[in-house]
Amino acid sequence: MTGWMQKAAVGAVILVAWMSRAMAAQQTPATGVEAMRAYAGTWQVETEHYATAQSKAGREHTVLRNDCWMSGGYFACNQYVDGDSKVLLVFTYDAAAKVYHSYQIPAGGAEPGHGTMTMDGAVWTFPWQMTEGGVTTYFRVVNVWTGENRIEYRQEFSTDKTHWTLMAKGNETRVGKR
């Protein structure tokens, strides 16, 4: 191999190594509250609801826009549904417990809500429960990220946290910038 060919080969190896590191850095998932940036942007949402003890059958199509920002340990999104501001979502992260907390502040001054979220790779689960007449019903929304711009989700309920009934399923596809 001539001198210039050796230099070109070494240069190519360095370039490939640098590109590999850059690509790996881009593919490294965000951690902590930073991970919530994945929700930013405009999404087309398609939902099919099923007739259950907790839901009515039907189809729904909405445009969801999450206008988001981060400050310190907080990640917030003003969430618009079909162009109307509906709720301010604020996320925090408890690193010791590996749990996200969400706070929902509705437009118009209604009572705020609080929930949790867990991540297991591409599966993000939002659980909650309601007790009426001494009976507790458990609910969850399970988001499965099938790509950077696509979420397949389902809404379920259970009375024993073992057997889950599907209330709705659908998908979200990002159509606008983060």
Side-chain angles (χ1 to χ4, degrees):
M1 202 182 281
T2 63
W4 72 269
M5 291 175 82
Q6 286 176 325
K7 287 180 185 175
V10 168
V13 168
I14 290 170
L15 179 61
V16 168
W18 177 81
M19 287 175 56
S20 296
R21 279 195 297 272
M23 288 173 56
Q26 289 176 351
Q27 293 173 357
T28 301
T31 59
V33 75
E34 180 80 19
M36 302 315 294
R37 285 190 189 278
Y39 281 129
T42 301
W43 300 79
Q44 294 286 337
V45 182
E46 301 288 336
T47 307
E48 183 174 359
H49 298 274
Y50 299 99
T52 74
Q54 299 291 332
S55 57
K56 294 181 180 180
R59 290 191 168 279
E60 189 176 5
H61 170 81
T62 56
V63 175
L64 176 69
R65 181 169 64 93
N66 292 317
D67 181 12
C68 303
W69 66 97
M70 188 170 152
S71 182
Y74 300 93
F75 188 80
C77 295
N78 185 355
Q79 193 168 76
Y80 293 81
V81 177
D82 292 332
D84 294 326
S85 175
K86 296 293 185 180
V87 66
L88 176 65
L89 299 171
V90 180
F91 293 94
T92 62
Y93 181 63
D94 179 343
K98 296 184 180 179
V99 172
Y100 293 80
H101 295 274
S102 66
Y103 304 88
Q104 307 89 34
I105 305 166
E111 196 66 31
H114 172 262
T116 61
M117 192 258 306
T118 59
M119 283 187 193
D120 184 8
V123 180
W124 298 13
T125 304
F126 295 83
W128 73 97
Q129 64 191 49
M130 291 176 42
T131 302
E132 290 182 6
V135 176
T136 300
T137 303
Y138 303 92
F139 297 87
R140 67 185 180 189
V141 173
V142 180
N143 288 341
V144 179
W145 291 82
T146 59
E148 179 181 349
N149 297 312
R150 186 159 169 88
I151 302 168
E152 292 179 2
Y153 67 91
R154 63 187 187 272
Q155 299 171 351
E156 303 169 321
F157 77 92
S158 173
T159 55
D160 61 9
K161 292 176 90 175
T162 301
H163 303 93
W164 293 89
T165 300
L166 183 64
M167 297 167 51
K169 70 177 182 178
N171 59 70
E172 298 181 27
T173 304
R174 188 185 339 257
V175 294
K177 298 178 185 177
R178 279 207 240 190

